[in-house]
Amino acid sequence: MTKKILLALAALTALTLCFSSCKKDEPKPTPKSEVKLRVEPKEIKVIVGRTAELTVTVEPADTKCTFETANADIATVSDKGVITGVKVGKTVITVKAGDATPKTVDVEVIEASSMDKSRYIGTPDDKGYIAPIYVVEASKIKDLKDVITEANKVNGYVFDEDFAMDNGGNVLIYVGPNNGKQWTDDRIIGEIGYYYFPNPADNFMLFFMKNSFDEDLVKKAADGDEKAQQALFGVAAAYGFDKEQASGSLDNGSPCLVAYNMEQFPEGPYEVMILSSKNSKTGKYTIRFQVLQRAPQAQSSLAQRTPMMPEMNVAPSHLLISNR
């Protein structure tokens, strides 16, 4: 009996060793890919003959990326993600990296002369005070530099520079007609700035008035001076900001005015905040219009605000023109 038990145990031990040996010989499963791919923007416009560059982030960083265009007759793309507009139309760029899920970008190629007229603010007047300005969806400023340049060129605003600021952001600067020494027309807004940052949610636009003033018109308006209110809100209204007019002060105590363009743009309302600053050298006050994609009820840097008169005269005033 003991002999039979010993034989059975020996057979079981041999079987266990064999099974263990077989398990060791099995190939290990291939680890799942950890490649991560991000491509911005998701949609882009490019002018015929111009270029636009995709921002691609991939992990691990040494993973090779490939770029393919669905229609090279519309737009081509380089191995660095630079898109070139060939002819008017729409196509799709596909970006691949390892076995990460491919990303696609919708591309529209347009002619310089076929800008979306619905994105201009400002109706030209017979006195030449109001020159239309192109408003791009704030988060897309960096991706639409060429479009912004061509759109503003139509109305005489010339690209000056893409200026890098100390805070990590950039500003695209456009200047109205001048001969290097003085302005050569009567438009009220002489300089436009499109500010863009690493976080697109921080983007905004600034419009600078050509004239400067001996007194702070923004403070006067905020304090109830009707003439100053009509002058400044008149410019805002001429550029489409004619709703929810109010005065107030910023958290730092500086006076300001606000108004809203409520229905022109599909992405939602835009706010204009009218601000002033004193030039330490000349002692004069300059006025700027800060445009943000924001609704009246959204949180802002205004500490308090007071609604203005609803029946205000909003005709642009000659008071606001640069002396030539």
Side-chain angles (χ1 to χ4, degrees):
M1 186 72 174
T2 301
K3 185 175 180 181
K4 288 183 179 181
I5 293 174
L6 289 175
L7 287 174
L9 288 174
L12 179 61
T13 300
L15 182 62
T16 302
L17 289 174
C18 179
F19 179 72
S20 176
S21 175
C22 290
K23 284 188 68 177
K24 288 182 180 179
D25 292 338
E26 288 180 359
K28 296 181 179 180
T30 304
K32 189 176 180 180
S33 171
E34 296 294 331
V35 174
K36 297 179 181 179
L37 176 64
R38 181 179 179 183
V39 180
E40 294 291 342
K42 300 292 187 299
E43 56 184 45
I44 196 166
K45 289 184 180 181
V46 60
I47 295 170
V48 173
R50 301 288 187 89
T51 61
E53 188 170 357
L54 297 175
T55 299
V56 179
T57 305
V58 62
E59 296 177 9
D62 59 353
T63 305
K64 183 180 178 181
C65 294
T66 61
F67 302 85
E68 300 174 1
T69 177
N71 190 339
D73 291 334
I74 301 295
T76 61
V77 61
S78 74
D79 58 3
K80 301 294 183 182
V82 178
I83 300 169
T84 301
V86 178
K87 71 177 184 180
V88 173
K90 295 181 179 181
T91 187
V92 175
I93 301 296
T94 302
V95 185
K96 298 178 181 179
D99 51 8
T101 302
K103 305 295 183 183
T104 59
V105 178
D106 294 325
V107 177
E108 182 180 4
V109 181
I110 62 174
E111 291 281 7
S113 59
S114 63
M115 298 299 169
D116 184 352
K117 292 182 174 58
S118 70
R119 297 210 67 93
Y120 284 97
I121 56 173
T123 302
D125 60 323
D126 57 1
K127 296 179 180 179
Y129 297 166
I130 303 301
I133 296 171
Y134 191 77
V135 173
V136 65
E137 190 171 345
S139 63
K140 300 179 181 179
I141 290 174
K142 180 181 178 182
D143 303 318
L144 296 176
K145 294 179 185 179
D146 285 341
V147 172
I148 295 169
T149 297
E150 293 298 329
N152 282 317
K153 186 189 298 183
V154 171
N155 294 300
Y157 287 104
V158 178
F159 175 71
D160 184 61
E161 65 176 321
D162 186 350
F163 180 75
M165 299 179 291
D166 293 337
N167 61 5
N170 284 64
V171 54
L172 303 172
I173 301 173
Y174 299 85
V175 180
N178 67 89
N179 60 14
K181 296 181 180 179
Q182 62 182 10
W183 305 106
T184 55
D185 73 359
D186 285 332
R187 67 183 63 197
I188 290 173
I189 303 299
E191 188 173 305
I192 312 169
Y194 295 78
Y195 291 73
Y196 64 94
F197 300 87
N199 179 7
D202 297 331
N203 296 356
F204 62 91
M205 289 157 272
L206 274 184
F207 309 150
F208 296 86
M209 288 181 54
K210 294 194 298 189
N211 206 3
S212 56
F213 305 92
D214 294 325
E215 54 187 345
D216 189 345
L217 290 183
V218 174
K219 185 177 187 308
K220 289 187 68 173
D223 287 343
D225 185 287
E226 185 174 336
K227 185 177 180 181
Q229 291 172 356
Q230 290 176 348
L232 296 175
F233 279 120
V235 176
Y239 281 98
F241 298 90
D242 57 358
K243 300 292 189 296
E244 302 283 341
Q245 298 166 338
S247 68
S249 62
L250 304 181
D251 290 334
N252 63 8
S254 299
C256 71
L257 308 174
V258 292
Y260 292 85
N261 183 322
M262 297 295 292
E263 299 177 352
Q264 181 175 347
F265 301 102
E267 63 269 21
Y270 277 76
E271 172 191 86
V272 66
M273 186 178 291
I274 308 173
L275 305 161
S276 60
S277 57
K278 189 175 184 179
N279 187 307
S280 59
K281 294 182 179 180
T282 66
K284 290 181 176 292
Y285 290 89
T286 58
I287 296 176
R288 64 189 185 276
F289 295 74
Q290 181 171 310
V291 176
L292 305 96
Q293 189 177 330
R294 184 158 64 195
Q297 68 272 18
Q299 182 181 3
S300 73
S301 56
L302 279 176
Q304 58 89 14
R305 62 176 67 190
T306 304
M308 296 281 94
M309 298 177 297
E311 300 299 329
M312 184 175 295
N313 174 13
V314 292
S317 169
H318 191 277
L319 167 72
L320 304 178
I321 311 187
S322 174
N323 297 319
R324 290 193 281 147

